[in-house]
Amino acid sequence: MLSTGALRAHLLAARLAGTVATSREESLRSYRLFAARDPRVLIGLDPERTWKQRDLIELMADKCGVSGDPGHTTGHDVIDPDRTLVALDAFAARLAAVAERGAAVLLGTGHPHRLLGFYAALADALSAAGCTVLTPAQGHCVDITTRFGLRTYNLDYVRGVALVREPGGSSSGGATGVHTHSPLPVRTVLAAAAERGAGLPELVIGDHGWVCGAGQLGFEAIGLADTDDPALFVGEAEGVVSVVVPLDDAVRSDYYRPLTRYVLNRACLSQ
């Protein structure tokens, strides 16, 4: 089993935590947009309280370990690896609980090029433990507003993990997909699951709009988030999201493998 100390060292060496690639400028811009309730940054969350930029800096300092100084405006963000480890343990506990019940789960990612392998390993382990890994709405179209205008994407699943593709892209089974923060894919999937009466998930696992969109609709949701994604941490603070793991969500895909082993071991789901 990968020890906590070994994983902590890996988090720092791979820059999943410690000094990360996400810039302070990117994060502060996201906090400003969130405070203005820009839907591009809310990613499906409808906050109960008013969050000002200073409030968000304080929250992210508490949840992630970034600088709590509003005057710190440049450089790279910092994530406290010990906060990442605590959150990974909480994440694993939620996986263990759903596995013990053999409940239905839904997994989806807006970072398919980076995080697909992480979620796919979870899907495999949960399925082996008796959970139903849901795959509704495969092939459905989703219209998402991007910086290039309205784009239509297709919902697909790879190893039990939902993602969206460009029309005419690789068929099911390939790893390619589109990076998106939108909550529309998870809303589409959950609506399709409800309509067909085949069961709804007891737990949604993912990132970006998959977590915030599901949590806002009342589903238990857990996921990963970077320092420039305040919506997930606000959702956690307001009780809409169950667990958020702070880490850089855009490093090399193989750097997440030790996290996979650690989480599955903690959840007693290692195969």
Side-chain angles (χ1 to χ4, degrees), residues 34-120:
F34 189 97
R37 291 190 172 245
D38 188 313
R40 294 172 299 175
V41 183
L42 294 177
I43 56 178
L45 194 71
D46 184 15
E48 291 184 358
R49 58 167 284 194
T50 299
W51 290 85
K52 298 180 180 178
Q53 187 183 36
R54 182 178 289 271
D55 300 326
L56 293 164
I57 292 173
E58 292 176 357
L59 174 71
M60 299 301 284
D62 177 56
K63 295 289 187 180
C64 302
V66 304
S67 172
D69 179 8
H72 178 202
T73 59
T74 60
H76 289 281
D77 259 334
V78 174
I79 295 176
D80 178 1
D82 294 318
R83 286 174 169 85
T84 303
L85 290 168
V86 168
L88 282 171
D89 287 346
F91 186 99
R94 300 316 306 147
L95 294 181
V98 78
E100 185 177 355
R101 299 193 304 273
V105 296
L106 173 69
L107 299 95
T109 182
H111 265 298
H113 295 88
R114 306 296 184 182
L115 294 171
L116 180 61
F118 174 78
Y119 297 122

Side-chain angles (χ1 to χ4, degrees), residues 12 23 27 34 39 44 47 59 70 84 103 113 121 128 140 144 151 160 172 186-187 201 207 216-217:
L12 294 172
S23 72
S27 295
F34 189 97
L59 174 71
T84 303
H113 295 88
H140 284 211
I144 299 175
R151 294 287 187 271
S172 181
V186 75
R187 291 174 185 168
D207 47 62
Q216 189 62 49
L217 291 173

Side-chain angles (χ1 to χ4, degrees), residues 161-173:
V161 183
L163 50 81
V164 293
R165 301 184 189 278
E166 295 275 4
S170 177
S171 60
S172 181

Side-chain angles (χ1 to χ4, degrees), residues 125-136:
L126 289 167
S127 178
C131 292
T132 300
V133 178
L134 300 174
T135 57

